[in-house]
Amino acid sequence: MVHQQTGTAALYIVATPIGNLGDISQRAIEVLKSADLIAAEDTRHSSRLTQHFGIATRLVSYHDFSSSAREDAILSELSAGRSVALISDAGTPLISDPGYSLVARARSLNVPVIPIPGACALTAALCAAGLPTDRFVFEGFPPHKQGARRQLYESLAGEQRTLIFYESPHRIADSILDMHEVFGAQRQAVICRELTKTWETIHGDSLAALSQWILADDNNRRGEFVVLIHGAPAPDEQELQLEADRQLHILLEELPVKQAAALVAKITGLKKNGLYKRALELAGER
Ligand code: SAM
């Protein structure tokens, strides 16, 4: 296939669905149909997708453990003027998926690299989680071993941007329990499970509550996960929160939750809604 703008062959980075097949774009189907070759992470897995959309293009396997000879072969197809579409098992290639080395080498050879954007679990989760989206950090999969995982979380404990992790069903519970310990019981977080699929679940709460939720039902630990953690408060905001907690503790001894929250909002200038929620939590701890 010929790249529409430059008239040269290209490496197309094609996003495929993360569950719901309806999420593939018209352009993705056109590119996959007209490419000379599709490089896929798992050809058997991807052949189900290509069959579904009537795509007859030859599939070759390309993954992180591919030999450099396989990568060289793909690059020589590109250098010979043929077009290659790169896909992964799901979502956007290169996002916790293979392709970085191929793209870097293609660009260094002046082969045009053209993105065909579409589904990606991290952006799907972020846009629906209700956490700040203006600045965020994507950390991919946390380490499997607990020591390394906690160390990573500790290094991120003061990060003010929204944190985003991918997690597997085997480790989701341990990971949430570690987050609870390191980021603190009150930190807000959102667990996004099985996005775009039948059992899609987007569940937000404090890490204390999420630790209980994840253990409460086997179904809560099934499927694919994105976990988002609210960023840490700015240091002076953190001090103000501590001061608000102190005032709430005192007032809750004498007043109902609503009144205590309203008074602390007046004194500190913090939002009434947030203080009301916090006062409910503190009242529940008594
Ligand atoms: N490249 C993919 C993307 O664009 O999101 C991610 C590939 S990575 C190997 C697979 C991980 O992405 C899963 O373990 C899970 O953490 C996340 N993921 C993929 N699909 C998902 C879905 N439908 N719902 C929630 N998380 C998903």
Side-chain angles (χ1 to χ4, degrees):
M1 178 183 167
V2 169
H3 170 217
Q4 294 99 331
Q5 283 141 21
T6 63
T8 55
L11 172 61
Y12 290 85
I13 311 302
V14 183
T16 58
I18 56 169
N20 188 324
L21 289 181
D23 290 337
I24 198 158
S25 74
Q26 192 63 40
R27 191 164 168 233
I29 296 174
E30 280 162 18
V31 166
L32 292 176
K33 278 188 175 167
S34 54
D36 296 296
L37 199 66
I38 298 174
E41 197 181 353
D42 176 342
T43 51
R44 230 175 42 177
H45 175 95
S46 292
S47 65
R48 288 197 285 275
L49 181 88
T50 53
Q51 269 164 27
H52 181 88
F53 289 105
I55 296 161
T57 311
R58 184 162 66 95
L59 285 158
V60 295
S61 105
Y62 175 79
H63 45 72
D64 276 342
F65 310 104
S66 290
S67 61
S68 55
R70 172 50 55 88
E71 201 168 279
D72 292 346
I74 294 172
L75 288 165
S76 41
E77 294 279 343
L78 289 162
S79 304
R82 283 184 278 278
S83 275
V84 177
L86 175 71
I87 60 175
S88 57
D89 285 353
T92 301
L94 280 85
I95 306 301
S96 292
D97 264 339
Y100 163 68
S101 156
L102 184 63
V103 168
R105 286 183 67 196
R107 288 188 56 81
S108 75
L109 293 170
N110 288 323
V111 171
V113 180
I114 300 174
I116 309 294
C120 182
L122 104 88
T123 49
L126 181 64
C127 71
L131 297 183
T133 55
D134 49 346
R135 297 173 76 217
F136 59 89
V137 184
F138 174 57
E139 282 286 331
F141 287 97
H144 296 183
K145 294 212 170 123
Q146 189 179 47
R149 187 165 62 227
R150 281 194 189 206
Q151 225 171 20
L152 171 71
Y153 294 163
E154 271 154 22
S155 74
L156 293 167
E159 173 59 62
Q160 287 168 33
R161 294 169 287 184
T162 297
L163 293 164
I164 307 174
F165 300 93
Y166 282 170
E167 198 45 281
S168 82
H170 317 292
R171 281 177 288 277
I172 186 70
D174 288 344
S175 206
I176 295 289
L177 298 184
D178 286 343
M179 285 171 173
H180 175 194
E181 274 200 20
V182 176
F183 295 114
Q186 299 312 326
R187 187 81 76 95
Q188 292 296 305
V190 180
I191 298 177
C192 298
R193 178 175 94 90
E194 294 287 88
L195 291 167
T196 79
K197 303 188 211 177
T198 312
W199 302 110
E200 179 176 270
T201 310
I202 300 175
H203 185 70
D205 212 324
S206 67
L207 279 169
L210 288 178
S211 300
Q212 291 181 4
W213 182 83
I214 203 73
L215 297 174
D217 184 342
D218 289 353
N219 288 322
N220 294 347
R221 301 189 291 279
R222 294 213 168 100
E224 300 192 277
F225 294 88
V226 183
V227 181
L228 302 96
I229 310 280
H230 199 298
D236 47 353
E237 199 186 320
Q238 213 163 6
E239 275 164 31
L240 203 57
Q241 291 284 1
L242 284 176
E243 175 55 21
D245 268 17
R246 196 184 67 80
Q247 293 177 12
L248 283 172
H249 268 298
I250 297 168
L251 293 178
L252 282 169
E253 301 208 341
E254 310 287 340
L255 300 172
V257 165
K258 201 168 164 189
Q259 226 175 326
L263 276 175
V264 176
K266 268 194 194 155
I267 299 166
T268 60
L270 289 170
K271 288 204 177 110
K272 220 191 289 181
N273 282 355
L275 287 168
Y276 180 67
K277 236 175 130 184
R278 181 68 182 133
L280 278 177
E281 282 166 3
L282 293 176
E285 281 169 15
R286 281 155 192 266

